[in-house]
Amino acid sequence: MDLSVTLPTSHGGLRLKNPIMPAASTFGNVIEYQKVFDLSLLGALVPNSMYLSGGQPTKAFKFHKGEVGFMSAFGKNSIPIKTFVDDVLPHLPYD
């Protein structure tokens, strides 16, 4: 079954193999989820925001499993774009 979608852009379109992707700012810097989830199943990966220079990322946990469910706390967890390109991008799945 073909679940692909094409998102219109000013330069034509962006084809995704499916419309499933994490919501903005909910998936950290993406590769931290590689050990628990097959990232290649997603139609797109949406990392947290990045900055050009300076700043410090947070090391806070995003999810915690409690006795009656999950708790989540989202906050600033940005990294410099150079760090993303050098340390994260090489580990992402490509189709």
Side-chain angles (χ1 to χ4, degrees):
M1 176 185 318
D2 182 13
L3 297 175
S4 65
V5 294
T6 301
L7 305 175
T9 69
S10 59
H11 300 287
L14 174 63
R15 185 179 178 277
L16 306 176
K17 65 181 174 183
N18 65 60
I20 309 301
M21 63 186 86
S25 297
T26 63
F27 220 54
N29 294 310
V30 181
I31 60 169
E32 60 199 81
Y33 289 92
Q34 247 177 346
K35 293 179 182 176
V36 295
F37 184 77
D38 181 0
L39 299 177
S40 69
L41 296 174
L42 297 172
L45 301 171
V46 184
N48 280 355
S49 59
M50 293 167 241
Y51 46 87
L52 293 176
S53 63
Q56 184 71 6
T58 178
K59 303 272 189 215
F61 289 111
K62 293 179 185 65
F63 295 101
H64 174 74
K65 184 175 190 269
E67 290 181 33
V68 294
F70 288 89
M71 296 186 322
S72 63
F74 299 106
K76 182 180 177 190
N77 193 26
S78 300
I79 60 173
I81 194 160
K82 181 171 179 11
T83 300
F84 183 84
V85 170
D86 293 345
D87 299 341
V88 177
L89 200 57
H91 301 285
L92 297 180
Y94 294 97
D95 285 341

